[in-house]
Amino acid sequence: MSKPDLARAELAAGDFLRALGMSLDSEHLAATPQRMARAWAELLAPREFDLTTFPNDEGYDEMVIVREIPVRSICEHHLLPFTGRATIGYLPGERIVGLSKLARVAEHFACRPQTQERLTKQIAQWLQDHLSPQGVGVVIEAEHSCMTLRGAHATGASTRTSTLLGQLREDPESRAEFLSLADRRA
Ligand code: ZN
């Protein structure tokens, strides 16, 4: 994605809304194209992030898992939001990362036109590349408004995706441990 051109987006948003039959004459709607342009720019632009990782000096080798991480993203097929929760875990190897940073990784990859499948894989791959862990697991459960508010009108339907790498994929015990921790509701 290149840098957003807000002025152009605002003009296009006005055209788009008029093409859909909306009149923007009322005072309430006059600035809607401008607000729309800003809102979409915010939803689609990844925030810069600097994720410091640390050497795993203590040799911690039990699973680190953060659950119930809020996720909101935009489906690239309809440009409608999907929202849900992620569970992100890893089995430390060479490096570790601050716990809150796992949520930042999810946010970083969510702020762009996405598919839930790709988002899940990108988060897992980032951890794999930056931490050289023994294993990584990411589960996302989300509701897609393109499916619940329109189209199939499948209100309440949720989609679950997962990516498991390394030991969490290959070792049945680690895999089961991660998936049962991911399943447990707070
Ligand atoms: Zn969609």
Side-chain angles (χ1 to χ4, degrees):
M1 298 259 306
S2 51
K3 223 177 161 5
D5 178 344
L6 287 177
R8 199 168 147 203
E10 181 183 335
L11 284 176
D15 281 346
F16 178 64
L17 295 174
R18 280 185 217 98
L20 288 173
M22 275 177 71
S23 154
L24 303 177
D25 294 340
S26 108
E27 211 179 312
H28 297 283
L29 294 173
T32 293
Q34 186 193 58
R35 283 189 291 264
M36 222 175 120
R38 286 202 198 126
W40 283 101
E42 184 184 335
L43 286 169
L44 294 174
R47 274 202 287 162
E48 282 312 309
F49 78 144
D50 172 28
L51 278 192
T52 319
T53 64
F54 304 95
N56 184 15
D57 289 336
E58 316 279 313
Y60 184 82
D61 62 357
E62 292 295 331
M63 207 174 292
V64 176
I65 189 161
V66 179
R67 299 184 304 135
E68 301 285 315
I69 298 170
V71 167
R72 59 132 182 81
S73 187
I74 301 291
C75 97
E76 67 183 8
H77 301 127
H78 301 91
L79 237 57
L80 285 169
F82 63 93
T83 53
R85 303 263 152 190
T87 297
I88 302 178
Y90 70 104
L91 207 49
E94 287 173 29
R95 302 190 72 80
I96 53 174
V97 67
L99 297 179
S100 68
K101 299 295 169 28
L102 295 177
R104 292 298 309 275
V105 176
E107 191 211 353
H108 177 74
F109 289 108
C111 284
R112 62 187 72 186
Q114 264 296 12
T115 66
Q116 187 178 326
E117 295 87 337
R118 191 194 303 124
L119 173 61
T120 311
K121 282 187 94 156
Q122 283 175 331
I123 296 168
Q125 197 57 50
W126 190 95
L127 293 171
Q128 182 66 34
D129 294 344
H130 289 81
L131 303 181
S132 306
Q134 298 178 63
V136 174
V138 178
V139 173
I140 297 179
E141 184 139 8
E143 194 173 309
H144 290 249
S145 58
C146 61
M147 183 162 103
T148 56
L149 298 181
R150 56 159 293 285
H153 295 290
T155 309
S158 68
T159 304
R160 187 185 168 99
T161 47
S162 60
T163 298
L164 302 174
L165 302 174
Q167 210 169 312
L168 265 65
R169 184 186 182 90
E170 277 129 38
D171 172 49
E173 219 169 285
S174 304
R175 185 188 176 98
E177 184 188 350
F178 173 75
L179 290 175
S180 88
L181 286 168
D183 261 339
R184 198 180 302 157
R185 289 279 155 229

